[in-house]
Amino acid sequence: MPQLVRHGPFQSHLCCYTSYVSSRLPVCFVSLNPSSNPTKDINNNDLIQSLCRGGNLKQAVQVLCNEPNPTQKTFELLIYSCAQQKSLSDGLDVHHRLVGSGLNQDPYLATKLINMYRELGAVDHARKVFDETREKTIYVWAAVFQALAMAGRGEELLELYRQMNMMGIPSNRFTYTYVLKACVVSELSICPLRKGKEIHAHILRHGYEGHVHVMTTLLDVYAKFGCIFYASSVFDAMPDKNIVSWSAMIACYAKNERPMKALELFQLMMLEACDTVPNPVTMVTVLQACAGLAALEHGKLVHGYVLRRGLDSVLPVHNTLITMYGRCGEISTGQRVFDYMKKRDVVSWNSLISIYGMNGFGKKAIQIFENMINRGVSPSNISFITVLCACSHAGLVEEGKILFDSMLNKYRIRPSMEHYACMVDILGRANRFDEAIKLIDNMDFKPGPKVWGSLLGSCRIHCNVELAERASTILFELEPMNAGNYVLLSDIYAKSGMWNEVRRVRKQLESRGLQKIPSCSCIEVKRKIYSLVSVEEYNPQIEDLRAFLVTLLTEIKNQGYVPQTNVVKYDLDEEEKERILLGHSGKLAVAFGLINTSKGETIRISNNLRLCEDCHGFMKFVSKFSNREILLRDCHRFHCFKDGICSCGDYW
């Protein structure tokens, strides 16, 4: 019977075994003992490589103990196998043996080692390999850049990039790609956008603007920071575009509140890039754009395309379909998509909770959350944000407090800034400001803009001037260029009749060069999407709609509608205020829908801002007078107006 005997002691921390089951080795290798094996030319390097290819990593590492001269190829396969089998302990053993062999200064193997540690999540080890490698080729630099970028260590990466430039080492498309990723994935103390622009200039100077991967990553940088113009310029200048670059630009529009542009670009891609087949990432982005516009018919068309292309088995696509139908007011369809899913993850459950929450069904959202846990799915950070938002929309204060307390006590999830912001919103909307302030004062970390923004928004609902001034003072320091904070404070002053303060805040806004975001409503009619913007002055293009609205206004006034002119932030007479109210984009969209849709057809509208109190009351009366269902989604939640009643119960 073939026998395996132990070689002499080897100077390594590796544990060499005296024997192991020979039947697990390939049959062509009989013995590892050269003195007793008639096949004296047997090569342990070949054996190790064969074991690696066969997936026998542990045995390969054992045999490595008995090979005095491992080759580069042997180490390459061992390193690759450690990464493939996710074995950090074996990787450390192989690395130690590599150092002992003297091949650790081989740049090729150093690159492989860094990649192995990156895949195993041991970035500190990857950095150590880089630091100890004397001959650093551009591939060694690119490998460590990738490791640091994937770990979110952007500042460290950019400092290495600075050193590389100081040493005169020219970049290649890989280093540029990873350096740009550092700007996207990391929280930097320096301005990441400014750094991205510097790298952009570097790319242009060195002639890399034709590389599709580099320019797509650059597009992602501009998209992350909302620089749509720069992102579009990069995209338009790309000589060659692939599905990733098209998808990145579509996502840029969708995630920066330009859903209509996202759909237009998708249609252009389907027409111009005939050889470009949308992938699951593309379809997720397009569905998000449909959701952003509440464009149900477009969403159904995309759903049909997903089914024809066989992409309905992809989990993220399914999850986005749930959200899309929910944000178009079709909760039952979103529920059916969920019910027919063969496989679900926590994102699937979060999507379902979300669509019930945004439509005001808070108790149903909590029920689904509890059902998820009973099915053995652990809640994530997002799960709690979603269910807490549902409590906020439905006014479920006590339920929200119980859920918030359970995060740390029951699920060992430490509340983040977003969770505190949700809780402040729940308490503030319920006019429980003392509890909201106490919660903020007792936070484990310094409250940020999201928390103070939630408080300011609640102050607007209840016209709490004192707290609004406190919150806005802090917000003006934290985000001085956010026009929304100035507008909210101005609204609160206007509702309180404090016109001098309104003018003061307006001057502050103008002195900083900021402008109020105009209200924009989108409506889908016969599979075409139309956008209407609020106007306060004469505009001949919408005078037909205004004339229709004047007639409609007279009719619903006879039924008891009284315009809420206190929402107008100008010190004007009542008649002029009513004229301004008729120019609100939501009213224009409703008029457009009533004129251009069939009798009894549901009108679907999306609005980029919070629905004002007057438009809310107007919609209720119009839904009853016209016998129409009006589905309107603003930036916070969904409103379903039917027979003079809104699904939000006037709590929004």
Side-chain angles (χ1 to χ4, degrees):
M1 180 177 179
Q3 198 173 20
L4 298 172
V5 299
R6 186 178 179 177
H7 283 237
F10 193 83
Q11 299 301 314
S12 169
H13 79 297
L14 289 171
C15 180
C16 295
Y17 296 87
T18 56
S19 64
Y20 52 87
V21 181
S22 60
S23 61
R24 295 180 62 188
L25 292 174
V27 294
C28 57
F29 296 102
V30 180
S31 172
L32 297 181
N33 185 358
S35 62
S36 61
N37 187 359
T39 313
K40 293 186 178 181
D41 293 333
I42 190 70
N43 188 331
N44 282 343
N45 281 296
D46 292 339
L47 176 55
I48 294 167
Q49 292 172 28
S50 178
L51 288 168
C52 286
R53 292 189 184 99
N56 299 305
L57 174 62
K58 294 290 183 186
Q59 291 173 276
V61 174
Q62 291 167 14
V63 177
L64 182 64
C65 300
N66 300 314
E67 174 52 55
N69 297 304
T71 63
Q72 184 194 65
K73 184 66 176 177
T74 295
F75 277 121
E76 180 188 357
L77 285 172
L78 282 165
I79 292 167
Y80 176 77
S81 296
C82 292
Q84 286 293 103
Q85 297 191 27
K86 307 295 182 188
S87 178
L88 179 59
S89 59
D90 287 323
L92 290 167
D93 286 346
V94 172
H95 184 185
H96 187 91
R97 183 69 175 86
L98 183 64
V99 173
S101 72
L103 285 174
N104 61 306
Q105 289 304 316
D106 182 339
Y108 179 77
L109 291 178
T111 303
K112 297 295 182 183
L113 264 180
I114 293 169
N115 289 334
M116 176 195 77
Y117 282 129
R118 170 182 56 78
E119 291 190 32
L120 297 175
V123 182
D124 287 334
H125 287 292
R127 178 63 199 264
K128 190 169 184 288
V129 171
F130 174 81
D131 292 337
E132 292 175 352
T133 303
R134 290 189 290 272
E135 185 187 343
K136 296 180 175 71
T137 64
I138 190 61
Y139 300 105
V140 175
W141 285 94
V144 78
F145 283 2
Q146 184 181 17
L148 294 171
M150 298 301 286
R153 288 160 63 164
E155 291 202 45
E156 190 177 343
L157 193 163
L158 291 171
E159 173 56 27
L160 279 181
Y161 178 64
R162 187 190 65 80
Q163 293 176 21
M164 189 182 88
N165 287 332
M166 292 283 288
M167 294 165 64
I169 300 172
S171 295
N172 65 9
R173 62 189 178 95
F174 299 108
T175 55
Y176 280 131
T177 299
Y178 300 132
V179 171
L180 287 167
K181 279 186 185 294
C183 300
V184 176
V185 302
S186 309
E187 295 294 332
L188 304 177
S189 60
I190 60 170
C191 175
L193 177 59
R194 189 184 70 230
K195 199 67 189 176
K197 288 181 177 179
E198 290 175 7
I199 298 165
H200 188 179
H202 206 273
I203 288 167
L204 294 176
R205 283 199 302 272
H206 292 85
Y208 277 86
E209 64 271 22
H211 289 263
V212 65
H213 296 295
V214 174
M215 301 312 284
T216 300
T217 313
L218 178 63
L219 192 161
D220 282 334
V221 173
Y222 287 129
K224 181 186 178 182
F225 299 105
C227 300
I228 301 174
F229 174 77
Y230 289 122
S232 179
S233 298
V234 169
F235 179 78
D236 292 340
M238 291 172 67
D240 297 306
K241 300 178 180 74
N242 59 17
I243 186 59
V244 179
S245 49
W246 281 98
S247 299
M249 193 64 227
I250 293 169
C252 173
Y253 285 130
K255 293 175 182 177
N256 286 284
E257 299 180 0
R258 300 287 193 280
M260 194 175 294
K261 290 287 290 181
L263 289 182
E264 288 172 359
L265 188 62
F266 174 67
Q267 291 169 351
L268 184 65
M269 181 189 80
M270 298 298 285
L271 290 171
E272 288 192 357
C274 301
D275 56 337
T276 302
V277 179
N279 60 23
V281 176
T282 317
M283 302 320 297
V284 164
T285 304
V286 173
L287 286 168
Q288 288 171 343
C290 294
L293 292 165
L296 179 63
E297 294 306 314
H298 277 71
K300 286 179 177 178
L301 288 173
V302 175
H303 191 178
Y305 182 84
V306 164
L307 293 172
R308 289 194 301 276
R309 298 293 306 177
L311 298 174
D312 53 314
S313 61
V314 181
L315 200 52
V317 175
H318 250 139
N319 295 339
T320 313
L321 277 168
I322 296 169
T323 305
M324 185 275 292
Y325 280 115
R327 295 192 74 184
C328 291
E330 292 288 315
I331 306 175
S332 58
T333 309
Q335 178 72 63
R336 280 201 301 275
V337 172
F338 178 86
D339 292 340
Y340 283 120
M341 290 173 70
K342 294 179 180 177
K343 182 182 178 183
R344 304 183 186 111
D345 61 3
V346 69
V347 180
S348 314
W349 287 95
N350 292 346
S351 300
L352 191 65
I353 295 166
S354 172
I355 69 172
Y356 279 100
M358 75 173 68
N359 282 277
F361 300 103
K363 290 187 177 180
K364 177 67 174 178
I366 295 173
Q367 181 186 333
I368 295 167
F369 177 82
E370 292 171 346
N371 189 20
M372 173 185 76
I373 292 166
N374 293 335
R375 296 286 185 91
V377 180
S378 299
S380 65
N381 286 322
I382 304 299
S383 302
F384 279 101
I385 291 172
T386 306
V387 76
L388 287 172
C389 283
C391 292
S392 178
H393 292 321
L396 303 175
V397 180
E398 296 307 319
E399 292 87 341
K401 290 170 72 175
I402 292 169
L403 285 163
F404 184 79
D405 291 338
S406 74
M407 287 183 65
L408 193 58
N409 298 336
K410 189 174 180 180
Y411 299 102
R412 298 292 182 264
I413 297 175
R414 188 169 295 279
S416 68
M417 192 75 74
E418 287 79 4
H419 299 109
Y420 276 103
C422 288
M423 232 14 254
V424 169
D425 191 56
I426 289 172
L427 295 168
R429 283 174 182 270
N431 204 13
R432 293 164 69 162
F433 286 109
D434 289 342
E435 291 179 63
I437 289 297
K438 185 178 178 181
L439 180 69
I440 293 172
D441 290 340
N442 292 332
M443 284 176 62
D444 295 335
F445 43 85
K446 188 176 179 180
K450 290 182 179 179
V451 172
W452 291 111
S454 291
L455 185 66
L456 184 60
S458 299
C459 290
R460 180 189 183 279
I461 296 169
H462 299 288
C463 209
N464 190 320
V465 176
E466 182 182 349
L467 266 183
E469 289 177 334
R470 177 183 171 184
S472 60
T473 299
I474 296 169
L475 283 166
F476 293 163
E477 292 178 3
L478 293 175
E479 36 182 31
M481 302 308 288
N482 185 342
N485 297 326
Y486 297 90
V487 173
L488 271 177
L489 182 60
S490 177
D491 286 348
I492 294 165
Y493 283 141
K495 288 177 75 174
S496 304
M498 302 169 67
W499 299 110
N500 288 334
E501 294 303 313
V502 171
R503 284 187 281 271
R504 180 181 62 79
V505 174
R506 195 173 293 149
K507 285 181 181 178
Q508 276 185 285
L509 193 69
E510 291 170 356
S511 67
R512 293 187 178 275
L514 302 174
Q515 287 184 332
K516 176 188 174 182
I517 299 171
S519 174
C520 177
S521 293
C522 293
I523 180 170
E524 186 183 36
V525 176
K526 295 180 176 63
R527 292 185 177 175
K528 289 185 179 180
I529 300 168
Y530 302 86
S531 63
L532 298 105
V533 180
S534 291
V535 290
E536 295 179 354
E537 298 176 357
Y538 174 79
N539 185 333
Q541 292 180 327
I542 55 95
E543 283 311 299
D544 287 344
L545 294 180
R546 271 189 181 276
F548 180 83
L549 281 172
V550 169
T551 304
L552 186 60
L553 183 64
T554 303
E555 295 286 352
I556 63 175
K557 274 185 175 181
N558 292 334
Q559 295 188 5
Y561 166 70
V562 178
Q564 298 186 43
T565 55
N566 63 326
V567 303
V568 178
K569 292 175 293 183
Y570 300 100
D571 191 7
L572 303 167
D573 60 49
E574 290 298 300
E575 186 178 341
E576 186 63 18
K577 285 184 177 181
E578 285 191 26
R579 187 192 67 78
I580 289 174
L581 288 175
L582 277 184
H584 283 196
S585 69
K587 293 187 182 74
L588 296 173
V590 167
F592 186 88
L594 289 171
I595 292 169
N596 293 286
T597 58
S598 304
K599 186 177 180 180
E601 188 177 340
T602 299
I603 296 172
R604 285 182 172 80
I605 302 167
S606 65
N607 191 280
N608 64 326
L609 302 178
R610 180 185 181 272
L611 191 65
C612 82
E613 289 84 350
D614 181 65
C615 285
H616 191 268
F618 178 86
M619 301 286 179
K620 289 199 293 184
F621 275 95
V622 170
S623 69
K624 186 174 184 179
F625 173 75
S626 64
N627 196 26
R628 293 286 197 102
E629 186 175 356
I630 302 170
L631 300 177
L632 188 146
R633 199 196 68 247
D634 66 12
C635 64
H636 290 299
R637 60 165 301 147
F638 215 98
H639 302 267
C640 177
F641 301 97
K642 189 175 182 180
D643 297 326
I645 299 170
C646 180
S647 61
C648 74
D650 297 340
Y651 190 89
W652 89 103

